[in-house]
Amino acid sequence: MKKFLPFVFAGFLGGMLAFGGLSLITEKSDNLAAQLPDIPLAQNVNFSKPLNAIPLDFTLAARQAMPAVVHIEATESSTAAQKRKQGSPGNILEDWFFGSPFDTPFQLKKGAGSGVIYSSDGYIVTNNHVVDFADEVLVTLSDNRQYTAKVIGKDSRIDLAVLKIEADGLPTLELADADKAQVGEWVLAVGNPFDLNSTVTAGIVSAKGRNIRIMTGQDAIEAFIQTDAAVNPGNSGGALVTADGKLLGINTAIATRTGSFQGYSFAIPVNLMTKVVNDIIEFGSYQRGYLGINISDLDGERAQELGLDITQGVIIEDLADGGAAQFSGLLPLDVITAVNNTPVNSAPELQDRI
């Protein structure tokens, strides 16, 4: 036992010295802290927090959007199919391998997609290509109520159609301002891909005023909002929604080599949609304005040719005789950069504005 007494004493002495030193350090630290100003641990000196910053929680937006998005089943009637059969020239190879179309049942066209409730009294907006062939349309609401819908009007130049069901008190979405949408802001796509009802996906606005040349006709309008929110067959006609639950656009197309989503989807901006839908409801068709000009996008090469110090805008190539542009004094090779003080950087944006 005596052998261990020196070790016990040494341990006790070392502990007392350590305790005294710690007390001294703590006292000095307290005095130092009292002398220093109250400085935050970290602060962002380059950027201030945006006033409209939204946390990455989309539950409220999804809860608002889902009841306003419907499932659409479109079917060609047997009468319409018979008329199409009689007007069809037939296909020689099909006749050779499968027999004459007059000897076999004629296949009815069918399709499915999505729609957005536009008004509480039963007007619904969707894509024209969802219902273009159909004369029998069945709408299923998010609560599984089903209605037969009437096609009020449609426009292939913008790929929009308006349906009507006999119902009241339906949920609707507040409309956003697509002109104020920012590249990089969060959005949700709500629809029925592959018949999976009420599906919500998230992404960001990837670009605005996008022209992907999917609609034919010289007077077609393409000024799509591009997003990377997953959109697949069946999403057509569904809602593109802001992170605070407002309707930003109507999902319309995907850029794909496989038939399924590959990172690029496109929506018709709500501002253009509203004009088209209101016209169809009031007049039965879209009342479109025309300037009477042929146009092209300004780029760096053309800007250099024209001696301009800008590289974005719309060049007037020529004028239609008797058109509004001619009477207003516009001339070939004039460059349009804004409409009513709102900048336009491309032909689709100008068409959208007009």
Side-chain angles (χ1 to χ4, degrees), residues 16-314:
M16 292 300 293
L17 289 174
F19 179 76
L22 179 61
S23 299
L24 182 60
I25 293 173
T26 303
E27 183 180 353
K28 289 184 177 180
S29 298
D30 291 341
N31 292 335
L32 180 62
Q35 298 172 13
L36 291 176
D38 186 14
I39 301 175
L41 294 178
Q43 59 181 342
N44 194 327
V45 297
N46 294 316
F47 304 101
S48 59
K49 183 178 178 181
L51 295 177
N52 61 344
I54 299 173
L56 296 183
D57 183 353
F58 305 126
T59 54
L60 177 60
R63 193 160 59 244
Q64 291 175 335
M66 286 191 293
V69 177
V70 304
H71 181 268
I72 296 174
E73 295 179 50
T75 308
E76 181 185 40
S77 68
S78 56
T79 302
Q82 187 64 31
K83 290 181 180 179
R84 179 164 57 86
K85 172 182 174 180
Q86 294 171 353
S88 172
N91 184 296
I92 296 175
L93 289 177
E94 287 182 359
D95 293 350
W96 177 266
F97 286 105
F98 304 108
S100 169
F102 293 97
D103 300 328
T104 58
F106 206 68
Q107 188 70 36
L108 299 181
K109 291 183 178 181
K110 293 184 177 182
S114 305
V116 179
I117 299 173
Y118 186 69
S119 65
S120 59
D121 59 348
Y123 284 103
I124 295 170
V125 59
T126 186
N127 287 136
N128 174 66
H129 73 260
V130 172
V131 298
D132 186 39
F133 60 88
D135 45 10
E136 296 177 2
V137 180
L138 180 67
V139 169
T140 304
L141 305 186
S142 63
D143 59 6
N144 293 327
R145 284 183 291 167
Q146 291 187 326
Y147 296 88
T148 298
K150 178 183 179 181
V151 179
I152 300 299
K154 49 193 178 183
D155 196 310
S156 61
R157 300 169 298 178
I158 296 99
D159 197 13
L160 286 173
V162 178
L163 313 178
K164 180 69 168 66
I165 61 174
E166 295 305 318
D168 291 306
L170 298 177
T172 61
L173 287 172
E174 183 179 349
L175 304 183
D177 185 349
D179 293 337
K180 296 180 180 178
Q182 298 293 315
V183 173
E185 74 170 84
W186 284 100
V187 288
L188 305 180
V190 186
N192 307 284
F194 304 120
D195 277 338
L196 299 172
N197 292 350
S198 299
T199 296
V200 180
T201 57
I204 62 169
V205 174
S206 303
K208 295 174 61 179
R210 189 70 86 192
N211 184 348
I212 58 175
R213 298 177 178 84
I214 62 169
M215 285 183 275
T216 60
Q218 189 175 11
D219 56 352
I221 297 179
E222 291 189 24
F224 293 119
I225 298 171
Q226 180 182 329
T227 174
D228 64 350
V231 170
N232 280 293
N235 272 112
S236 292
L240 185 70
V241 181
T242 62
D244 57 350
K246 297 178 182 178
L247 183 63
L248 184 63
I250 300 297
N251 295 317
T252 299
I254 57 177
T256 176
R257 296 178 180 176
T258 65
S260 298
F261 178 71
Q262 288 188 294
Y264 306 95
S265 56
F266 303 91
I268 299 169
V270 68
N271 299 32
L272 175 59
M273 178 275 289
T274 302
K275 172 69 170 69
V276 175
V277 170
N278 288 344
D279 279 359
I280 289 176
I281 292 173
E282 185 174 356
F283 306 111
S285 62
Y286 173 38
Q287 307 296 299
R288 181 172 173 182
Y290 289 92
L291 274 180
I293 56 177
N294 290 323
I295 55 179
S296 63
D297 289 345
L298 179 66
D299 56 24
E301 185 177 349
R302 290 298 302 277
Q304 189 173 7
E305 290 177 4
L306 298 174
L308 301 175
D309 57 359
I310 58 173
T311 56
Q312 288 185 307
V314 180

